[in-house]
């Protein structure tokens, strides 16, 4: 099986990589969620910061009165073989921080050395401002050193009981809620810090740990400030588990005194003084072997290893599930494009065919939109034909005017032939408006379907330039189809004017009084009072003019019925059918003759999508590497 150092170090490495890629929580279970870490919980001035610095062996955390830790600090310790010590922040991944003390800057080899303490304070102020407010946005810090054990520690703001000036009234509840979001997770190991010079029953850390971990399986108790207890008192009952029992042993810590801090006493020396304190203490000498910050670090590391080993099946299962999801996502948004010209041409044609399939599905009913074309023929065209002003055009006054003007100086002898033809020709011309309107309406529907089809073609989403090219080419084709369709429907209208159906009027003559009302029939049955003006009377007779208008109206109604059926046929044939058959024909010819540089420009991807693919590829590489590394380490 794996050694403790290699396994925990690997988990730390995976956690660090997850954090860098932004995969550290959120909806659902992530790799970060399932990997164990240690949350440091305690009240204000309980010694949390000193415990962390003792474990790390470095003096690097901001200090002061009140709330100093105002953002969670995710601290990852990486044990190294070399003697170099340095720190890296997630928000400044290209900087290596080598100074843990006062602020200095070193430009040697373009590597910056900035005080870790100041960077933590500055990064805290960047989010919270120079106030006493808190934020749940964590700071991620990795420390690489030969003097640490592999651990992930989370330093949380100290629990408090009252708000002070400059803090919101909800600060007490806000801090507790923030701490709970970390310690409630089943993968979290709770490091409950309590000062020995206070009653353990009043410990904020223990109270919170008992709420979220009543069995104590995840809780480690730490007593600080043992050297500050009143003379004649000790914390042996607590350390031996009699005052408050936990599943894991209590650990006592002796932090540096304020005088040591002011003198900047080295942490290594402070550890040695801590060991001497326990070894020479009459109260705690028998417990010296399991007291102190070094023992605490080893204890946590051993427990962390045990938890990790228990979680490995779950970790591997989650990694495999995530790898499948990432591969599926890459397939959905598309793999990287080829650089070969032939392969690029093939890819462009395949993308065009994908668009064409979606477009045809809209027309044929697989997707919505094609029904709007039917609506043009079934609703818009009949409504437009019904609104044509034939009543006004065939009024008695206009019929008289047209018939009279058509005869010229010579009155007609039997029937107003030219009058009929002019009336019919003028009436048929009204059909041009609805015919052209139908062409335009279908054109706009097709243009909208092109736009929707481009948006719905998943394969095209990554190529905005190609989307534009396809849209332009498709719309150019639709314009040509519209022009041809307009010519065709106008020809249909003009054909109705060019040759009139004689049989229609012969049938009317066979039944001359069919369209006359009874009064007109009576007038026509009476002989003319003035035979010399009978012809003139016929021309000016109201019933005679009404009969002409009625005959023309009946003929126009027949033409209207014909055009109502033939206009849709022409529009579908010239526009819809052509759009299905050859929408991108010209585009294919143009693409085939383009050089590689122009093809590459057409496949210029959306930068956001490119970034998305890069991030997915990095995550995929991380998870595959993590799976292989865990397998290799666990069964070494």
């Amino acid at each position: 099986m794996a050694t403790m150092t290699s396994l925990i170090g690997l988990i730390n490495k995976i956690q660090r990589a997850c954090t860098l890629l932004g995969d550290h929580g959120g909806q659902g279970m992530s790799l970060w969620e399932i990997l164990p870490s240690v949350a440091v919980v305690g009240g204000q001035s309980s010694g949390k910061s000193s415990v962390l610095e003792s474990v790390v062996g470095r003096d690097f955390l901001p200090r002061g009165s009140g709330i100093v830790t105002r953002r969670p600090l995710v601290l990852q310790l990486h044990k190294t073989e070399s003697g170099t010590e340095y720190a890296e922040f997630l928000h400044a991944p290209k900087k290596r921080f080598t100074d843990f003390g006062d602020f200095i800057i070193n430009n040697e080899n373009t590597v910056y050395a900035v005080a870790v303490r100041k960077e933590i304070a500055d990064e805290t102020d960047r989010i919270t401002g120079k106030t006493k407010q808190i934020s749940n946005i964590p700071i991620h810090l990795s420390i690489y050193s030969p003097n640490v054990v592999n651990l992930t520690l989370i330093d949380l703001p100290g629990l408090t009981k009252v708000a002070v000036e400059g803090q919101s009234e909800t600060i007490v509840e806000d801090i507790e809620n923030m701490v709970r979001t970390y310690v409630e997770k089943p993968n979290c190991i709770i490091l409950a810090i309590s000062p020995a010079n206070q009653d353990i029953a009043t410990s904020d850390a223990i109270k919170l740990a008992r709420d979220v971990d009543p069995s104590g399986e995840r809780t480690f108790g730490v007593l600080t400030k043992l050297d500050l207890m009143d003379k004649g008192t000790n914390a042996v009952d607590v350390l031996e588990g009699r005052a408050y029992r936990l599943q894991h042993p209590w650990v006592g810590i002796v932090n540096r005194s304020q005088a040591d801090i002011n003198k900047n006493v080295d942490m290594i020396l402070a550890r040695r003084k801590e060991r001497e304190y326990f070894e020479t203490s009459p109260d705690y000498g028998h417990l010296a072997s399991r007291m102190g910050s070094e023992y605490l670090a080893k204890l946590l590391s051993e427990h962390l290893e045990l938890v990790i080993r228990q979680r490995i099946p779950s970790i591997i299962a989650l990694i495999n599930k995530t790898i499948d999801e990432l591969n599926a996502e890459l397939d959905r948004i598309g793999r990287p494009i080829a650089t070969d010209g032939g392969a690029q041409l093939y890819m462009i044609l395949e993308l065009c065919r994908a668009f064409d399939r979606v477009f045809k599905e809209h027309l044929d009913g697989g997707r919505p939109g094609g029904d709007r074309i039917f609506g043009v023929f079934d609703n818009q065209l009949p409504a437009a034909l019904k609104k044509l002003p034939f009543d006004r055009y065939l009024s008695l006054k206009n019929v008289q005017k047209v018939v009279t003007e058509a005869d010229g100086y010579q009155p007609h002898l039997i029937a107003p032939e030219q009058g009929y033809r002019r009336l019919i020709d003028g009436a048929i011309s009204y059909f041009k408006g609805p015919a052209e309107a139908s062409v335009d309406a279908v054109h706009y529907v097709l243009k909208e379907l092109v736009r929707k089809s481009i948006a719905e073609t998943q394969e095209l989403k990554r190529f905005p330039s190609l989307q534009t090219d396809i849209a332009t080419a498709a719309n150019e084709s639709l314009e040509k189809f519209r022009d041809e369709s307009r010519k065709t429907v106008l020809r249909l209208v003009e054909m109705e004017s060019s040759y009139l159906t004689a049989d229609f009027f012969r049938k009317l003559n066979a039944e001359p009084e069919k369209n006359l009302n009874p009064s007109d029939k009576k007038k026509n049955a009476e002989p003319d009072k003035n035979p010399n003006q009978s012809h003139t009377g016929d021309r000016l007779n109201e019933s005679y003019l009404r009969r002409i208008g009625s005959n023309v109206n009946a003929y126009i109604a027949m033409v209207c019925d014909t055009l109502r059926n033939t206009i849709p046929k022409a529009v579908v044939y010239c526009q819809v059918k052509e759009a299905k058959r050859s929408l991108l024909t010209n585009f294919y010819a143009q693409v085939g003759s383009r050089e590689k540089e122009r093809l590459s420009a057409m496949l210029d991807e959306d930068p956001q999508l490119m970034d998305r693919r890069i991030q997915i590829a990095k995550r995929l590489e991380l998870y595959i590497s993590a799976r292989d590394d865990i397998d290799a380490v666990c069964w070494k």
Side-chain angles (χ1 to χ4, degrees):
M1 292 294 288
T3 64
M4 174 179 64
T5 299
S6 58
L7 183 56
I8 299 178
L10 174 60
I11 296 301
N12 273 1
K13 172 185 172 185
I14 296 172
Q15 283 181 320
R16 174 71 174 172
C18 287
T19 304
L20 285 169
L21 293 180
D23 185 18
H24 47 79
Q27 294 182 347
M29 184 69 75
S30 71
L31 188 55
W32 174 268
E33 293 283 323
I34 204 169
L35 297 177
S37 57
V38 180
V40 184
V41 182
Q44 286 187 29
S45 303
S46 61
K48 289 191 303 86
S49 296
S50 295
V51 171
L52 277 172
E53 289 180 333
S54 296
V55 170
V56 176
R58 279 292 186 176
D59 184 359
F60 68 98
L61 292 173
R63 295 182 178 277
S65 59
I67 298 179
V68 178
T69 304
R70 290 181 285 121
R71 289 175 59 185
L73 175 66
V74 179
L75 176 63
Q76 291 183 308
L77 306 182
H78 304 263
K79 185 174 181 62
T80 61
E81 298 300 326
S82 66
T84 304
E85 288 185 300
Y86 63 92
E88 288 182 348
F89 285 91
L90 180 65
H91 62 267
K94 295 183 179 180
K95 293 183 180 180
R96 182 170 288 189
F97 297 74
T98 59
D99 179 58
F100 291 82
D102 295 331
F103 177 78
I104 62 170
I105 299 180
N106 176 17
N107 290 326
E108 183 181 355
N109 297 325
T110 67
V111 175
Y112 295 86
V114 182
V116 175
R117 173 182 292 139
K118 184 177 187 303
E119 186 65 23
I120 294 174
D122 290 346
E123 178 61 15
T124 298
D125 291 343
R126 188 178 66 83
I127 298 297
T128 63
K130 295 183 179 297
T131 66
K132 296 181 181 180
Q133 302 305 317
I134 64 170
S135 170
N136 60 0
I137 301 174
I139 299 173
H140 292 268
L141 170 63
S142 290
I143 293 179
Y144 299 82
S145 170
N147 302 315
V148 299
V149 294
N150 290 297
L151 270 178
T152 295
L153 300 160
I154 304 174
D155 185 21
L156 297 166
L159 299 166
T160 185
K161 292 182 172 62
V162 293
V164 299
E165 185 178 355
Q167 296 175 348
S168 66
E169 296 181 356
T170 61
I171 189 71
V172 176
E173 182 180 353
D174 292 343
I175 291 177
E176 182 173 339
N177 290 338
M178 181 195 299
V179 173
R180 281 181 179 273
T181 60
Y182 285 89
V183 299
E184 285 178 342
K185 295 175 182 178
N187 68 307
C188 181
I189 298 168
I190 304 169
L191 193 62
I193 310 294
S194 303
N197 56 357
Q198 295 180 13
D199 189 348
I200 195 66
T202 64
S203 169
D204 296 320
I206 290 298
K207 179 178 179 299
L208 182 62
R210 185 167 51 222
D211 288 345
V212 299
D213 179 33
S215 65
E217 294 179 358
R218 299 188 288 117
T219 303
F220 284 80
V222 176
L223 273 187
T224 61
K225 304 184 180 182
L226 290 169
D227 55 329
L228 300 181
M229 295 185 70
D230 294 336
K231 289 187 177 181
T233 63
N234 60 53
V236 172
D237 285 347
V238 176
L239 293 175
E240 291 184 345
R242 291 190 293 273
Y244 186 82
R245 188 170 186 81
L246 295 172
Q247 293 281 345
H248 306 287
W250 283 82
V251 178
I253 298 291
V254 175
N255 299 324
R256 288 184 301 168
S257 65
Q258 189 60 48
D260 290 339
I261 294 173
N262 294 338
K263 294 177 183 178
N264 199 24
V265 173
D266 180 76
M267 293 297 300
I268 303 302
L269 177 59
R271 282 183 178 180
R272 185 160 57 248
K273 291 177 65 176
E274 183 186 44
R275 285 197 301 270
E276 292 174 355
Y277 172 85
F278 284 114
E279 290 172 354
T280 59
S281 170
D283 294 321
Y284 310 117
H286 64 293
L287 300 173
S289 62
R290 51 188 180 91
M291 295 289 118
S293 55
E294 288 182 287
Y295 174 78
L296 175 63
K298 292 178 182 177
L299 180 67
L300 291 174
S301 188
E302 289 173 357
H303 183 73
L304 200 57
E305 182 213 11
L306 178 63
V307 173
I308 290 170
R309 284 180 175 172
Q310 293 172 345
R311 296 290 177 91
I312 280 181
S314 299
I315 293 172
I316 294 295
L318 180 59
I319 288 176
N320 287 331
K321 178 175 178 290
T322 305
I323 288 173
D324 291 341
E325 291 173 350
L326 292 174
N327 275 318
E329 179 72 2
L330 274 181
D331 290 336
R332 187 184 67 80
I333 67 175
R335 301 281 176 170
I337 60 176
T339 56
D340 175 71
Q344 290 178 344
L345 176 60
Y346 176 80
M347 185 174 188
I348 290 173
L349 296 178
E350 283 297 302
L351 292 169
C352 291
R353 293 187 186 101
F355 155 76
D356 203 42
R357 285 194 297 271
V358 175
F359 180 70
K360 289 177 180 176
E361 286 175 4
H362 277 292
L363 292 177
D364 294 334
R367 297 172 186 257
D371 55 308
R372 291 172 56 194
I373 295 175
F374 173 74
V376 171
F377 304 141
D378 196 50
N379 299 313
Q380 290 179 239
L381 178 60
L385 294 174
K386 189 175 182 180
K387 291 180 181 178
L388 293 177
F390 293 131
D391 290 344
R392 176 166 50 84
Y393 179 74
L394 295 175
S395 66
L396 290 176
K397 183 177 180 181
N398 194 56
V399 169
Q400 182 183 27
K401 177 178 179 295
V402 172
V403 170
T404 302
E405 291 176 352
D407 283 345
Y409 76 92
Q410 176 67 56
H412 62 267
L413 299 177
I414 299 175
E417 176 79 11
Q418 292 302 319
Y420 268 104
R421 290 188 179 277
R422 287 195 181 185
L423 283 170
I424 292 172
D425 191 60
I428 288 177
S429 66
Y430 282 108
F431 290 116
K432 292 181 179 180
E436 290 184 296
S438 298
V439 170
D440 290 337
V442 171
H443 175 74
Y444 291 129
V445 172
L446 292 174
K447 282 186 67 175
E448 177 63 16
L449 293 183
V450 166
R451 187 194 64 78
K452 290 182 65 176
S453 298
I454 290 175
E456 294 172 8
T457 304
Q458 294 295 328
E459 297 89 338
L460 277 176
K461 288 187 181 297
R462 52 191 287 207
F463 303 114
S465 297
L466 183 57
Q467 290 181 38
T468 301
D469 290 341
I470 290 177
T472 301
N475 288 330
E476 287 177 355
S477 295
L478 291 179
E479 290 289 345
K480 293 179 182 177
F481 302 154
R482 175 167 66 171
D483 292 343
E484 186 61 33
S485 183
R486 181 180 288 113
K487 292 177 184 177
T488 302
V489 297
L490 291 179
R491 286 194 187 103
L492 289 176
V493 175
E494 291 166 359
M495 283 190 293
E496 293 294 339
S497 296
S498 64
Y499 185 81
L500 304 185
T501 306
D503 284 346
F504 180 87
F505 292 97
R506 289 170 183 162
K507 291 178 181 178
L508 287 178
N509 290 332
E511 300 176 3
E513 298 182 357
K514 180 178 180 180
N515 296 318
L516 297 180
N517 57 43
S519 62
D520 291 333
K521 292 179 182 179
K522 182 177 180 180
K523 289 179 182 180
N524 288 342
E526 296 176 355
D528 293 331
K529 294 180 181 180
N530 188 349
N532 294 327
Q533 295 181 348
S534 61
H535 184 67
T536 303
D538 286 344
R539 292 181 69 193
L540 301 176
N541 185 274
E542 181 178 325
S543 63
Y544 181 68
L545 295 174
R546 185 177 289 110
R547 180 176 179 181
I548 293 174
S550 177
N551 291 343
V552 171
N553 190 61
Y555 186 81
I556 293 302
M558 181 191 72
V559 172
C560 184
D561 290 339
T562 301
L563 292 177
R564 184 185 289 117
N565 294 322
T566 56
I567 287 175
K569 294 178 187 295
V571 170
V572 169
Y573 182 81
C574 295
Q575 289 176 267
V576 180
K577 190 174 180 180
E578 280 299 297
K580 289 178 62 177
R581 186 181 67 85
S582 58
L583 185 63
L584 295 180
T585 299
N586 291 334
F587 184 64
Y588 291 148
Q590 295 171 9
V591 170
S593 62
R594 291 186 180 180
E595 297 179 355
K596 180 179 179 297
E597 290 73 17
R598 297 184 66 188
L599 294 176
S600 298
M602 294 174 68
L603 294 174
D604 183 21
E605 290 188 275
D606 182 346
Q608 292 184 345
L609 197 61
M610 293 176 66
D611 291 341
R612 173 67 177 156
R613 183 188 296 108
I614 290 172
Q615 288 300 313
I616 292 175
K618 286 181 178 178
R619 290 183 62 201
L620 184 60
E621 182 180 1
L622 161 66
Y623 278 77
I624 292 175
S625 175
R627 180 184 62 188
D628 295 343
D629 289 346
I630 291 175
D631 282 341
V633 170
C634 288
W635 305 108
K636 185 181 294 181

